[in-house]
Amino acid sequence: MALQPVNRRSVPEDVFEQIVAEVLSGQMQPGEALPSERRLAEVLGVSRPAVREALKRLTDAGLVEVRQGDATTVRDFHRHAGLDLLPRLLMRAGELELTIVRSILETRLHNGPKVAELAARRGRPELAGLLDDVVGKLAEEADPIERQRHALTFWDHVVDGADSIAFRLMYNTLRATYEPALPALATLMAAEVDRAAAYCALADAIKAGDPDRARSAAHDLLEPATTGLLTALEDLEQPIGRHRRLVGQP
């Protein structure tokens, strides 16, 4: 393991972050036993209570399993972690992980039409004004990064209209994952966020309370750019096998 002594001002956060990095990079494999609390405290130069608190966070995140009287072992994060891990997976060593981008795009294309359908079915009276306002801002915006922000706000309102806590929490995670990468994705996302008319069509369907038309309009908005991006990502992935290994793909 490449663990380093911790800056005491950030204990136990640094302990948690170092072990997370080891697990996600594959340096610590599923089933592998971590050093004892005492040994971790010695290596990291921190107190045992700090190590214990970090291990609790790791357990809550689904990354390790602590058994009373037995070793703490690494868990397979693919099977046990939650969506809150996505932001950590998207950017690795300052670079986008292409397979994670692909997963996010696929999730958007699958969930977006259903969320739009629910918003049209359950839409509140105030939703119409919110959608009109953000579509107007998106149409007038020249900056590609700000245009993406307006698009995110548009979907934020649609998710609210869907009135589904599961979709809301999922969207929160996807947005938190996506937002730090806005500059890197500006060119890739232009094919979608430049289509103000498509956002307007979706807004009109939701305001009209037409679930079928809203679902179709959402798919029409998301599908062209998503398909193009997925094709581009497949081309980029060919020489980058490490991205497939990160998410356990062949």
Side-chain angles (χ1 to χ4, degrees):
M1 293 184 296
L3 301 178
Q4 301 294 324
V6 169
N7 184 329
R8 291 183 181 276
R9 289 175 300 176
S10 56
V11 175
E13 179 69 20
D14 280 1
V15 178
F16 173 79
E17 292 291 344
Q18 286 200 52
I19 296 177
V20 167
E22 294 281 307
V23 172
L24 298 187
S25 69
Q27 294 299 311
M28 292 181 177
Q29 290 290 313
E32 181 179 340
L34 269 64
S36 66
E37 279 187 12
R38 178 180 298 175
R39 179 57 182 156
L40 282 171
E42 292 173 355
V43 171
L44 296 168
V46 300
S47 67
R48 289 183 67 176
V51 170
R52 195 171 300 122
E53 183 176 341
L55 291 176
K56 182 180 184 305
R57 286 191 59 192
L58 290 160
T59 301
D60 293 342
L63 298 178
V64 304
E65 182 177 15
V66 179
R67 294 181 179 176
Q68 192 68 28
D70 199 357
T72 298
T73 57
V74 176
R75 305 185 84 185
D76 184 349
F77 71 85
H78 302 94
R79 295 183 177 275
H80 300 287
L83 279 173
D84 56 321
L85 203 61
L86 266 180
R88 297 178 183 276
L89 293 171
L90 180 64
M91 298 294 294
R92 301 286 293 170
E95 296 183 359
L96 284 173
E97 288 289 349
L98 300 182
T99 53
I100 307 303
V101 176
R102 184 186 65 199
S103 296
I104 293 171
L105 290 170
E106 291 168 343
T107 301
R108 289 172 69 247
L109 183 58
H110 182 270
N111 288 351
K114 184 61 181 180
V115 171
E117 174 191 331
L118 291 175
R121 195 181 304 278
R122 303 169 177 170
R124 302 155 301 151
E126 63 270 25
L127 182 59
L130 294 171
L131 293 178
D132 286 343
D133 179 64
V134 72
V135 168
K137 291 177 179 177
L138 188 148
E140 295 172 0
E141 183 61 61
D143 182 84
I145 297 175
E146 288 306 310
R147 198 178 292 125
Q148 289 182 85
R149 296 191 191 281
H150 291 314
L152 286 172
T153 301
F154 176 90
W155 281 104
D156 198 53
H157 294 322
V158 175
V159 173
D160 277 345
D163 192 24
S164 167
I165 186 60
F167 279 128
R168 164 46 68 186
L169 295 178
M170 187 178 297
Y171 177 80
N172 291 347
T173 300
L174 292 175
R175 178 165 185 164
T177 303
Y178 175 78
E179 281 195 284
L182 289 181
L185 293 172
T187 300
L188 294 173
M189 292 304 296
E192 182 171 302
V193 298
D194 287 357
R195 300 173 60 212
Y199 285 89
C200 186
L202 174 53
D204 287 345
I206 292 173
K207 291 186 295 181
D210 188 333
D212 292 337
R213 183 154 62 95
R215 182 177 61 250
S216 177
H219 185 271
D220 289 346
L221 169 62
L222 297 171
E223 195 275 334
T226 300
T227 299
L229 288 168
L230 290 174
T231 300
L233 289 173
E234 286 177 6
D235 292 340
L236 290 171
E237 279 186 294
Q238 296 306 315
I240 311 178
R242 72 182 183 88
H243 297 289
R244 292 188 179 276
R245 289 195 297 272
L246 175 68
V247 292
Q249 294 185 358

